[in-house]
Amino acid sequence: MTAAGNHQANRPVGRRLERAGIRDVAAAAGVSITTVSDALNGKGRLPDATRRHVREVADRLGYRPSAAARTLRTGRSGLIGLTVTTYGEEPFTFTEFAYFAEMARAATSAALARGYALVILPASSRHDVWSNVALDGTVVIDPSDHDPMVTELVRQGIPVVSDGRPAGSLPVQAWVDNDHEAAVLGILDHLAESGARRIGLLTGTSTDTYTRLSTSAYLSWCERIGQEPVVESYPAHDPCAGAVAADRLLARPDRPDAVYGLFDPNGTDLLAAARRYGLRVPEDLLLVCCSESMVYAATEPPITTLSLKPGRIGTAVVQLLIDAIEGVDDGRPVQQVMPTDLIVRTSSQPRSPRTTVNPPRGPSGG
């Protein structure tokens, strides 16, 4: 038997190692419990040497404040929620998309850096999980118009910050978003400069700000240049519907020679539909989609993507939320607009003046 085995054998069965408490720290440091509390929480008028001494003893003993004690002392649980209201009832469905996965990762890191834990919750559920978790505040991603969840959270006195500019008078504490109108107009101008004469849009049926503003920007651009809109919509939470909508768009009599897809899977859906109809990318069809996935750097051909910088947004919404929870007011605006980045790849590169565009044909291979 190894030394580790002997050590395990001599340990009393059924007993857990006891965690050091505040009384243990006070005894070891030779100070009062009140002094320990003030030293660890940055309160009171203590000499710097005393604070350092108490913290060193606490670290040596592995002391960690009790979550229950913190709740009693501050009235806060140290938990903040994150939810997406436009992707159905399952709590983790949205993390299948690169944008939301990156946003949640950054939000989790930002929360931990300030002593909070992030809890991902479904927008709705058969089980009343929201009432079982004591949240100090909540981040809501892409709230819909007049979102009932946001209204109810605010009614309960829970601060809400949204990833997405809320419509109307939705009562969020703060919001962070991209300039979606400018991003879409930039993409459409890029496609036109690359030789597109009829640009189509693959969009969603939801009323969240991202979908609504992006679609409105496309329609305004079409009106300005005198192009009839070529639009197909589908429920964004249904991946199968996206492939069908992409096929529908390229089967139209007024088939576009360039398409912008608003959602992560649209690039591969459109590329597959183009192959079924014998359309070459980019010679016959220019493609751009909004995605954070590096998959599009390796498709054939590589597809141009719009990045909304979800890492920056995830960090910003959590910082704003915790500031609201803690009553911090450092003069920062409660509305933040983040830049986007168009990553140009082969799928939207300018066409050669000598390129002959193939006419569309019926789908091949089913």
Side-chain angles (χ1 to χ4, degrees):
M1 183 178 288
T2 64
N6 282 322
H7 178 72
Q8 293 289 340
N10 293 330
R11 180 179 294 173
V13 177
R15 290 188 58 186
R16 295 171 54 190
L17 291 177
E18 293 185 5
R19 187 172 64 177
I22 192 169
R23 293 180 185 276
D24 301 312
V25 176
V31 298
S32 69
I33 292 175
T34 301
T35 298
V36 173
S37 178
D38 288 348
L40 297 180
N41 292 301
K43 297 179 179 179
R45 298 181 178 180
L46 298 176
D48 289 342
T50 301
R51 291 188 192 278
R52 285 196 301 271
H53 173 60
V54 170
R55 289 169 181 169
E56 287 169 1
V57 171
D59 288 343
R60 188 175 74 246
L61 296 179
Y63 170 73
R64 294 292 179 271
S66 161
R70 180 176 69 170
T71 300
L72 288 173
R73 185 177 69 253
T74 66
R76 295 193 291 266
S77 66
L79 301 177
I80 57 178
L82 184 145
T83 189
V84 180
T85 62
T86 56
Y87 281 84
E89 296 185 354
E90 293 301 320
F92 306 112
T93 302
F94 69 90
T95 58
E96 296 173 6
F97 298 96
Y99 175 92
F100 299 114
E102 174 60 18
M103 188 270 177
R105 184 203 63 75
T108 300
S109 296
L112 289 173
R114 293 189 60 176
Y116 288 76
L118 193 74
V119 181
I120 297 178
L121 293 168
S124 60
S125 173
R126 292 187 298 266
H127 310 290
D128 191 12
V129 294
W130 285 85
S131 64
N132 295 329
V133 182
L135 298 174
D136 294 329
T138 300
V139 172
V140 179
I141 302 176
D142 286 340
S144 59
D145 294 352
H146 314 294
D147 199 306
M149 167 164 284
V150 173
T151 303
E152 176 59 21
L153 288 169
V154 173
R155 187 191 68 78
Q156 295 176 18
I158 299 174
V160 176
V161 171
S162 68
D163 168 8
R165 194 180 328 169
S169 58
L170 204 61
V172 299
Q173 198 89 14
W175 58 260
V176 181
D177 205 353
N178 308 103
D179 187 342
H180 298 300
E181 297 98 326
V184 170
L185 293 178
I187 289 169
L188 297 174
D189 287 342
H190 164 70
L191 289 171
E193 290 166 3
S194 294
R197 295 295 174 264
R198 187 188 299 115
I199 303 175
L201 181 73
L202 196 54
T203 184
T205 56
S206 59
T207 64
D208 60 278
T209 304
Y210 168 69
T211 304
R212 179 169 47 81
L213 292 181
S214 298
T215 304
S216 296
Y218 167 79
L219 295 175
S220 297
W221 185 86
C222 287
E223 183 178 5
R224 175 165 59 84
I225 70 162
Q227 178 200 300
E228 283 296 317
V230 187
V231 181
E232 291 292 341
S233 304
Y234 73 97
H237 64 270
D238 184 348
C240 295
V244 173
D247 193 275
R248 211 164 51 229
L249 185 62
L250 298 189
R252 292 173 59 124
D254 57 346
R255 177 184 65 83
D257 62 357
V259 179
Y260 173 48
L262 260 60
F263 304 109
D264 197 311
N266 290 164
T268 50
D269 288 341
L270 286 163
L271 197 58
R275 287 170 179 155
R276 285 195 296 274
Y277 285 94
L279 300 172
R280 300 167 298 169
V281 177
E283 291 85 357
D284 304 320
L285 183 69
L286 300 171
L287 292 183
V288 178
C289 74
C290 184
S291 176
E292 309 301 325
S293 175
M294 287 306 297
V295 165
Y296 288 118
T299 53
E300 183 54 47
I303 295 177
T304 297
T305 55
L306 177 71
S307 171
L308 302 179
K309 302 296 184 183
R312 293 183 183 179
I313 290 179
T315 299
V317 290
V318 166
Q319 297 286 12
L320 287 170
L321 180 60
I322 295 175
D323 285 351
I325 292 167
E326 298 181 350
V328 175
D329 182 9
D330 59 4
R332 292 190 304 170
V334 296
Q335 302 172 355
Q336 292 187 15
V337 178
M338 293 290 176
T340 58
D341 185 18
L342 185 64
I343 303 168
V344 177
R345 300 188 179 102
T346 306
S347 71
S348 67
Q349 294 286 358
R351 291 172 175 147
S352 166
R354 293 175 293 177
T355 295
T356 301
V357 176
N358 285 343
R361 67 173 191 240
S364 60

